[in-house]
Amino acid sequence: MPLASRDGVQELAKVKPRGRSGAKSTTKVVEEHQDLAPELQDRPVWYATRFSDFDIHLFREGRHYALYLKLGSHPMEVSGRQGTYFAVWAPNADQVSVMGEFNGWSRDNHQLHVRLDGSGIWEGFVPGVDAGSMYKYHIKSKYNLYHAEKSDPFAFRRETPPHTASVVSDLKYEWQDQAWIDRRKNKAGQAQPISVYELHLGSWRRKPEEDNRPLTYRELAEELPGYVKHMGFTHVELMPVMHHPFNGSWGYQITGYFAAHSLLGDPEDLMYLIDKLHQHDIGVIMDWVPSHFPSDEHGLAYFDGTHLFEHADPRKGFHPDWQSYIFNYGRNEVRSFLISNALFWLDKYHVDGLRVDAVASMLYLDYSRKEGEWIPNEHGGRENLEAISFLKEFNHAVHDNFPEVLTIAEESTAWPAVTGPVENGGLGFNMKWMMGWMHDTLDYFSKDPIYRRHHQGEITFSIIYAFSERFMLPLSHDEVVHGKGSLINKMPGDEWNRFANLRALYAYMYAHPGTKLMFMGGDIAQAREWNHDSSLDWHLLEDRYHRGVQEILVELNAIYKAEPAMYRHSFSPEGFEWVDYNDAHNSVLSFLRKGDSPDDTMLVVCNFTPVVHEHYRLGVPQSGDWVQVFNSDDSRYGGSNQHNEGVLSSVPEPFHGQQYSITLKIPPMAVAYFKLRPQ
C-alpha cells in the first residue's frame, strides 16, 4: 500500500487489512507489495495510509461515503508486524498524537504524520497495538495554545461512561440474516404494512434484583424478538444506540457516531441483537441525529482548536433549545462524515431504516430563535439552504447504495415535499411522521366525550392533508415525557372509559391511512410517565384491562397485515373514502378503506362517546354482506361486548351518497371494522 511521502520520497509498505466484516464495502484498500524500509521500522509510528488520491478527492468534494473504512483505527499488518493504523481529520492541528494503554497515556510518544496533500488528515501505523486497546488523540492546535484529549470521531467502540477513551475494534461478526436481507430486497418498492414498535433499549426491561441494571444487548436478543413477533409489529425503532455520555439525553446527544453505546455491550453484541430480530422477520429502524451534537470536550466540539464540525457563527452553529452544536452542513468534509455515518449503520449493522431526528430544526435558520438571533440565507429567507442540500444528498446516497432501506423524517412543519423525489425538488425521504395527526388526535381524545361534538373537525382534519406526503402515524416517546403523562392517563373518565378510549384510539389509528408507530409502554397501557432509568411496569399485565390493551394490539397488527385494504394504498386517496364525517352530534365517524379489489373493502365505524347506537343507518358502495371482523368493545379486551351478530346485508336504498345502505348497532366508545362479502 502506498505510504505518505516524506521529503519527496514515496515509501511503500506491504499491508494486510484484517478484521473486516463480511458486509459489502464501497471502497477498497489499495495494496502494494514492498516492505517498509528497515531503517523506518524503529520509529514508534510508521508511515502508512489507507487513502488513495481518489479517496482524498472524494473527501474534499464531500462525496466520500465510506470514510469509516479509512479514518479511525484499523487493526492490520504492515511488513509482517501486527498493529493498528490510526487516521484523524484535524486540519488546524499543529501536532496530533495517539495516547493510550500501550504508551502509558503519553501525549507525545506516538505522533502521527500529517499528509502533505493539504487534506488535514493525520495518520500512521503503530505496531503492537491490537484490538481492544484503549486510546485517545492528543491534539495541539495552531491557534491560541489550545490542546485537548479527544475521542476518535470514527471509533467503532467506546469506553463505558463516564470514561471517554476510544477502543480499537475490528467489528468481527458472522451474520446469519441473509434470508431476511433477500426478502427485504425482494419487497423493495412494494406496498407493505409497516407497524413500528419504538423503544429505548435501556428501559424496556431491567434487572431489579441486580441493582436495577438494564438488559444487555445479548439479553435483549433473548427476549425482545419473541415479544415483538408475538405482538405482530413488523419493525422496531431504536432510540439512538450511538455512544452518548449522558443517559438522560436518551441517546440524542451523541459523542460517538460510529460506536454502539457501550453501557449495554460491545458492537458485536448489538449486531447479534439485530441479527436475532431479522431472524424473527422483524426490521430494525434506528434513530439518527445529524442535527446537533453535545459540547463535551472529548467529543466533536472545537475539535482541533477551531469550529471544525460545527458552524463557527453561533447564530447558525449553536442550538439554543438543546445547548448543543449544529453541524456545518456547508463544509464538504462534514457532509462526508455524516453521510458515511448513515451508510455505516446500514452496511456494518444491517439496519433497515433511519429515522432522522429534528429535521425541522435543520431546515429553518430561525428555528427556536428570536429576531436578530439568526442569519438569513443569501436570498434573504429563513431556509437553511446548506441543510436542505445535505438532506437531499443524504437520501440520494442511502437510496443509491441501499435502495430497499427506509428513511423517515421527524419533521413538524408544513415543509413541502419532504417525501418527494429529490429529482423533483423534494427532500427524498420515504416517509414523514404525521405530527399534526398525533397532536390533534391526542387533544381530541383527552376531551370529555360530552364536548367532542364541538370538535368533530379536529378529528377529521387530518384527512384533508393525509395524502400530501407519505405519512407515518406516530404515538411516540415525545408524548409521554416532560409532564405530559402516559397515554392511558390522557384519557378522560373512570377506569372503564379510559381503557375504552385507549382501545378506540388504537383501532382508529390502525384504520387511518398511513403506516404506524407506537412507543413502548403503550402496548401495556403504562400508567406512569416514561422514565429512562426504570423498566416498564410489566406487572400491569396481571390486570385484565391492561392485558386487554396488549391483546387488542395483537389483533390490530394481525388485521393490518392480513387485509390489503388497510395498507395497500396507505399514501394515496384511492385507498380511502368517507361514508359520513358530519355526525358531530353523536361523535360518529365512518369511512371505507379500499384495496385493489372490491372484495378487499373494509368499513370502519367509530363511536367516540359511551352511548350505544341501535339501528344506525350507513351508506355503503355496493351490494353484499358486511361482516364484523373487529370490535374494540369486545369483552376479550375489557369492553361491554356490544356486537353485530351474523351478517349485515345491504339493501338498495341510497344513503350518504352511496347506492346501498345497511343498518347496524354501533358499540359504545369503540371502533368496529366490517369486511365486504360481495353478492
Side-chain angles (χ1 to χ4, degrees), residues 67-371:
L67 283 178
Y68 53 90
L69 300 176
K70 306 293 181 177
L71 290 167
S73 59
H74 300 274
M76 63 186 192
E77 179 184 314
V78 175
S79 294
R81 292 286 303 277
Q82 302 294 335
T84 296
Y85 167 83
F86 296 92
V88 62
W89 178 53
N92 298 296
D94 191 52
Q95 177 183 304
V96 177
S97 302
V98 184
M99 51 186 293
E101 296 175 304
F102 62 91
N103 66 3
W105 297 98
S106 168
R107 292 181 167 185
D108 298 304
N109 284 356
H110 288 75
Q111 297 181 23
L112 297 179
H113 310 290
V114 65
R115 291 182 62 90
L116 301 181
D117 53 16
S119 63
I121 293 171
W122 299 73
E123 61 185 348
F125 174 80
V126 181
V129 176
D130 293 324
S133 294
M134 291 189 291
Y135 71 99
K136 291 183 179 180
Y137 295 121
H138 181 248
I139 296 180
K140 291 182 180 179
S141 178
K142 297 175 182 177
Y143 305 106
N144 302 319
L145 301 178
Y146 176 86
H147 67 94
E149 296 177 4
K150 291 287 189 178
S151 301
D152 188 344
F154 282 85
F156 298 152
R157 185 177 164 195
R158 293 291 186 95
E159 201 177 9
T160 303
H163 306 293
T164 58
S166 303
V167 182
V168 177
S169 178
D170 48 14
L171 294 185
K172 287 182 178 178
Y173 183 78
E174 295 295 330
W175 289 89
Q176 305 296 321
D177 66 346
Q178 191 57 49
W180 164 264
I181 297 297
D182 291 341
R183 286 194 296 274
R184 189 181 79 177
K185 291 179 179 178
N186 291 336
K187 292 190 295 184
Q190 300 178 16
Q192 53 189 295
I194 296 177
S195 173
V196 181
Y197 186 54
E198 183 194 20
L199 70 156
H200 177 260
L201 291 179
S203 59
W204 183 67
R205 287 188 192 269
R206 289 198 165 217
K207 292 276 189 181
E209 68 278 13
E210 298 181 26
D211 198 27
N212 197 38
R213 70 166 178 84
L215 299 184
T216 65
Y217 295 128
R218 293 270 173 175
E219 289 169 334
L220 284 161
E222 300 308 312
E223 298 192 36
L224 181 62
Y227 178 77
V228 177
K229 183 78 169 179
H230 167 72
M231 293 299 296
F233 292 100
T234 64
H235 291 72
V236 295
E237 179 179 315
L238 308 181
M239 291 169 71
V241 297
M242 298 78 179
H243 193 80
H244 50 280
F246 176 50
N247 287 334
S249 76
W250 312 333
Y252 292 100
Q253 297 278 8
I254 297 171
T255 53
Y257 273 78
F258 290 83
H261 190 44
S262 56
L263 184 67
L264 305 184
D266 293 335
E268 292 79 7
D269 299 330
L270 176 56
M271 292 176 177
Y272 179 78
L273 169 59
I274 295 170
D275 203 353
K276 283 294 186 181
L277 286 162
H278 284 170
Q279 291 171 40
H280 282 73
D281 292 322
I282 299 162
V284 178
I285 299 167
M286 278 188 178
D287 278 8
W288 187 55
V289 190
S291 50
H292 64 112
F293 60 90
S295 58
D296 301 60
E297 186 181 49
H298 69 274
L300 298 177
Y302 212 61
F303 190 77
D304 62 357
T306 67
H307 296 287
L308 189 63
F309 288 91
E310 67 272 24
H311 201 284
D313 192 316
R315 292 173 294 177
K316 289 182 71 174
F318 189 76
H319 202 295
D321 283 352
W322 303 315
Q323 297 294 295
S324 54
Y325 288 106
I326 300 171
F327 284 103
N328 184 352
Y329 306 110
R331 186 160 193 167
N332 286 342
E333 296 90 342
V334 173
R335 292 162 78 104
S336 285
F337 169 82
L338 287 171
I339 296 176
S340 290
N341 182 245
L343 297 188
F344 166 79
W345 292 100
L346 308 180
D347 177 9
K348 297 299 185 182
Y349 283 82
H350 291 200
V351 168
D352 306 289
L354 295 171
R355 175 264 194 186
V356 182
D357 182 64
V359 171
S361 74
M362 300 170 65
L363 292 174
Y364 298 97
L365 294 165
D366 63 344
Y367 184 89
S368 196
R369 297 178 189 273
K370 300 175 183 177
E371 187 175 352

Side-chain angles (χ1 to χ4, degrees), residues 385-400:
L385 303 180
E386 295 166 345
I388 295 166
S389 171
F390 162 74
L391 288 169
K392 291 180 178 181
E393 185 177 353
F394 151 74
N395 276 305
H396 189 273
V398 167
H399 295 133
D400 253 12

